[in-house]
Short mmCIF file of all heavy atoms in Angstrom, two decimals:
data_model
loop_
_atom_site.label_atom_id
_atom_site.label_comp_id
_atom_site.label_asym_id
_atom_site.label_seq_id
_atom_site.Cartn_x
_atom_site.Cartn_y
_atom_site.Cartn_z
N LYS A 345 -17.29 14.35 5.56
CA LYS A 345 -18.18 13.85 6.52
C LYS A 345 -17.69 13.88 7.89
O LYS A 345 -18.26 13.56 8.86
CB LYS A 345 -18.52 12.36 6.21
CG LYS A 345 -19.09 12.15 4.83
CD LYS A 345 -19.30 10.74 4.53
CE LYS A 345 -19.93 10.52 3.15
NZ LYS A 345 -19.94 9.13 2.80
N SER A 355 -23.54 15.15 14.49
CA SER A 355 -22.53 14.13 14.34
C SER A 355 -23.17 12.68 14.52
O SER A 355 -22.57 11.77 14.90
CB SER A 355 -21.49 14.25 15.39
OG SER A 355 -22.00 14.18 16.72
N SER A 356 -24.50 12.61 14.29
CA SER A 356 -25.20 11.37 14.45
C SER A 356 -24.98 10.40 13.19
O SER A 356 -25.34 9.27 13.27
CB SER A 356 -26.60 11.54 14.63
OG SER A 356 -27.13 12.28 13.61
N ASP A 357 -24.53 11.01 12.07
CA ASP A 357 -24.31 10.22 10.86
C ASP A 357 -23.43 9.10 11.12
O ASP A 357 -22.30 9.26 11.80
CB ASP A 357 -23.75 11.20 9.77
CG ASP A 357 -23.31 10.32 8.52
OD1 ASP A 357 -24.26 10.12 7.78
OD2 ASP A 357 -22.13 10.00 8.38
N LYS A 358 -23.72 7.87 10.61
CA LYS A 358 -22.96 6.63 11.04
C LYS A 358 -21.56 6.73 10.43
O LYS A 358 -20.61 6.39 11.20
CB LYS A 358 -23.68 5.56 10.30
CG LYS A 358 -23.06 4.14 10.70
CD LYS A 358 -23.72 2.93 9.92
CE LYS A 358 -25.13 2.82 10.40
NZ LYS A 358 -25.80 1.59 9.81
N THR A 359 -21.34 7.24 9.21
CA THR A 359 -19.97 7.41 8.75
C THR A 359 -19.13 8.33 9.54
O THR A 359 -17.92 8.07 9.79
CB THR A 359 -20.06 7.87 7.25
OG1 THR A 359 -20.86 6.96 6.48
CG2 THR A 359 -18.64 7.88 6.68
N THR A 360 -19.75 9.44 9.97
CA THR A 360 -19.04 10.38 10.71
C THR A 360 -18.61 9.84 12.06
O THR A 360 -17.47 10.00 12.51
CB THR A 360 -19.88 11.66 11.09
OG1 THR A 360 -20.43 12.16 9.81
CG2 THR A 360 -19.18 12.63 11.81
N ARG A 361 -19.52 9.06 12.77
CA ARG A 361 -19.24 8.45 14.05
C ARG A 361 -18.09 7.47 13.78
O ARG A 361 -17.25 7.21 14.63
CB ARG A 361 -20.44 7.80 14.55
CG ARG A 361 -21.51 8.80 15.08
CD ARG A 361 -22.42 8.09 16.15
NE ARG A 361 -22.98 6.91 15.66
CZ ARG A 361 -24.10 6.65 14.97
NH1 ARG A 361 -24.73 7.73 14.59
NH2 ARG A 361 -24.45 5.54 14.68
N LYS A 362 -18.19 6.69 12.81
CA LYS A 362 -17.17 5.67 12.48
C LYS A 362 -15.70 6.24 12.34
O LYS A 362 -14.77 5.84 12.83
CB LYS A 362 -17.48 4.87 11.18
CG LYS A 362 -16.50 3.76 10.82
CD LYS A 362 -16.86 3.02 9.68
CE LYS A 362 -15.87 1.95 9.29
NZ LYS A 362 -16.22 1.21 8.07
N ILE A 363 -15.71 7.35 11.54
CA ILE A 363 -14.36 7.95 11.30
C ILE A 363 -13.86 8.77 12.45
O ILE A 363 -12.70 8.86 12.78
CB ILE A 363 -14.45 8.97 10.05
CG1 ILE A 363 -14.81 8.20 8.88
CG2 ILE A 363 -13.19 9.70 9.83
CD1 ILE A 363 -14.93 9.05 7.58
N LEU A 364 -14.80 9.27 13.32
CA LEU A 364 -14.41 10.12 14.50
C LEU A 364 -14.25 9.29 15.79
O LEU A 364 -14.07 9.85 16.78
CB LEU A 364 -15.46 11.14 14.70
CG LEU A 364 -15.33 12.41 13.83
CD1 LEU A 364 -16.44 13.38 14.26
CD2 LEU A 364 -13.94 13.01 14.04
N LYS A 365 -14.36 8.00 15.71
CA LYS A 365 -14.18 7.15 16.86
C LYS A 365 -12.75 7.20 17.37
O LYS A 365 -11.91 7.63 16.66
CB LYS A 365 -14.62 5.66 16.63
CG LYS A 365 -13.72 5.00 15.68
CD LYS A 365 -14.25 3.51 15.49
CE LYS A 365 -13.40 2.89 14.41
NZ LYS A 365 -13.86 1.40 14.20
N GLN A 366 -12.48 6.81 18.60
CA GLN A 366 -11.21 6.88 19.18
C GLN A 366 -10.06 6.42 18.27
O GLN A 366 -10.23 5.36 17.71
CB GLN A 366 -11.25 6.25 20.51
CG GLN A 366 -12.04 6.89 21.63
CD GLN A 366 -11.40 8.25 21.98
OE1 GLN A 366 -10.26 8.45 21.92
NE2 GLN A 366 -12.26 9.23 22.29
N LYS A 468 -13.53 13.40 20.80
CA LYS A 468 -13.60 13.42 19.37
C LYS A 468 -12.34 14.28 18.87
O LYS A 468 -11.69 14.85 19.57
CB LYS A 468 -14.82 14.08 18.87
CG LYS A 468 -16.12 13.49 19.33
CD LYS A 468 -16.46 12.14 18.61
CE LYS A 468 -17.80 11.66 18.89
NZ LYS A 468 -18.19 10.47 18.13
#
Side-chain angles (χ1 to χ4, degrees):
K345 301 176 182 177
S355 59
S356 59
D357 176 79
K358 185 182 296 184
T359 304
T360 305
R361 291 202 310 273
K362 179 179 178 181
I363 296 178
L364 279 178
K365 66 182 178 179
Q366 289 292 332
K468 303 285 188 177

